[in-house]
């Protein structure tokens, strides 16, 4: 696909050509997936593989083919997701064993996790202000846990929030496909300034592993 979206299903098509000058016999393909890749299906034409393995049979000289991988990547937006293809086969009359390893690299360009912040347009120094942060699953599958790390303006003093705030982030439960939820926070500005920026860094969370999604700057 022209665009990979973190948290959204996509179909990858990987093509192969036998340019070895020999017939390849008993060809078998196995695929190594990125960590936390959610596999939906893998197959060649109408034949599905078992887990991450596809039996291709004999590939004649000059023979071509393709296989499809459908699944969902959870990765850093702008980062790299690496798939490894390992093709094993035999050749010649004495059935020598050969293999071909290749890597396909994809980079998610955006995320199905969307944030939107609501704040009063005008803030007054030393007057409490409450902001509401809306987070939404715009994708087709349920999310894992989410964490959101705020980057407060240096003039802003955080006081409290509707959800438990750890030292530098909120950790939020999974939200289902198409659903959304909100959290609110309260604080105040300690100085009068022309403008301030509130920045929020969301991530998909798998245990101790986090994948950074699109940053919101308000």
């Amino acid at each position: 696909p022209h665009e990979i979206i973190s948290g959204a299903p996509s179909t990858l098509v990987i093509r192969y050509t036998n340019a070895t000058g020999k017939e390849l016999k008993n060809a078998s393909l196995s695929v190594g997936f990125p960590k936390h890749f959610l596999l939906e299906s893998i197959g060649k034409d109408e034949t599905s593989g078992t887990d991450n393995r596809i039996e291709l049979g004999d590939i004649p000289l000059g023979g071509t083919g393709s296989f499809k991988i459908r699944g969902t990547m959870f990765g850093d937006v702008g980062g790299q997701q690496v798939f490894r293809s390992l093709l094993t086969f035999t050749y010649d009359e004495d059935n020598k064993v050969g293999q071909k390893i290749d890597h396909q690299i994809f980079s998610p360009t955006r995320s199905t996790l969307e944030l939107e912040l609501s704040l009063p347009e005008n803030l007054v120094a030393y007057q409490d202000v409450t902001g509401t942060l809306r987070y939404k699953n715009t994708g087709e599958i349920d999310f894992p846990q989410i964490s959101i790390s705020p980057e407060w303006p240096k003039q802003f003093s955080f006081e409290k929030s509707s959800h438990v705030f750890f030292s530098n982030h909120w950790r939020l439960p999974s939200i289902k496909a198409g659903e959304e939820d909100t959290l609110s926070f309260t604080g105040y500005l300690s100085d009068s300034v022309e403008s301030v920026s509130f920045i929020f860094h969301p991530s998909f969370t798998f245990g101790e592993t986090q994948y950074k999604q699109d940053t919101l700057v308000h």
Side-chain angles (χ1 to χ4, degrees):
H2 294 291
E3 182 180 48
I4 295 292
I5 302 172
S6 179
S10 57
T11 300
L12 315 177
V13 181
I14 299 180
R15 297 177 174 83
Y16 58 88
T17 300
N18 178 7
T20 64
K22 300 177 182 293
E23 180 187 24
L24 307 182
K25 295 175 287 186
N26 302 312
S28 178
L29 182 81
S30 62
V31 181
F33 302 111
K35 192 175 182 180
H36 301 122
F37 176 74
L38 184 61
L39 177 66
E40 181 179 323
S41 64
I42 180 172
K44 175 181 180 293
D45 301 323
E46 300 302 319
T47 303
S48 295
T50 314
D51 295 328
N52 65 335
R53 190 177 184 87
I54 307 173
E55 300 301 329
L56 301 178
D58 297 341
I59 307 176
L61 174 63
T64 63
S66 65
F67 61 95
K68 296 180 180 180
I69 302 171
R70 180 164 177 80
T72 302
M73 296 185 202
F74 289 98
D76 292 331
V77 171
Q80 291 187 342
Q81 294 280 286
V82 181
F83 291 76
R84 187 204 67 178
S85 304
L86 172 62
L87 180 70
T88 58
F89 49 86
T90 59
Y91 63 98
D92 288 345
E93 293 183 359
D94 52 354
N95 291 325
K96 297 176 182 176
V97 177
Q99 67 176 24
K100 167 70 174 178
I101 299 176
D102 203 359
H103 296 84
Q104 294 81 33
I105 300 175
F106 299 89
S107 179
T109 57
R110 59 188 179 94
S111 176
T112 51
L113 173 58
E114 292 187 357
L115 301 184
E116 181 182 347
L117 178 64
S118 296
L119 270 177
E121 185 175 344
N122 297 311
L123 308 181
V124 180
Y126 295 103
Q127 178 176 304
D128 277 355
V129 59
T130 296
T132 301
L133 187 63
R134 185 181 306 277
Y135 50 99
K136 183 176 182 179
N137 180 349
T138 64
E140 302 173 18
I141 65 171
D142 299 347
F143 281 167
Q145 274 193 329
I146 299 166
S147 69
I148 301 177
S149 298
E151 189 176 330
W152 306 117
K154 64 180 181 180
Q155 302 91 346
F156 183 78
S157 295
F158 169 76
E159 293 182 308
K160 61 182 180 180
S161 71
S162 59
H163 292 61
V164 176
F165 186 71
F166 297 91
S167 59
N168 63 349
H169 69 278
W170 292 282
R171 181 161 287 198
L172 307 168
S174 170
I175 51 175
K176 295 185 179 298
E179 294 188 357
E180 61 181 48
D181 207 342
T182 61
L183 66 84
S184 61
F185 61 88
T186 301
Y188 63 91
L189 289 177
S190 60
D191 196 4
S192 294
V193 290
E194 184 177 344
S195 65
V196 290
S197 293
F198 287 81
I199 303 173
F200 296 90
H201 304 282
S203 298
F204 290 133
T205 300
F206 294 85
E208 297 303 314
T209 302
Q210 291 191 342
Y211 297 112
K212 297 177 182 178
Q213 304 305 293
D214 291 318
T215 295
L216 170 67
V217 180
H218 182 102

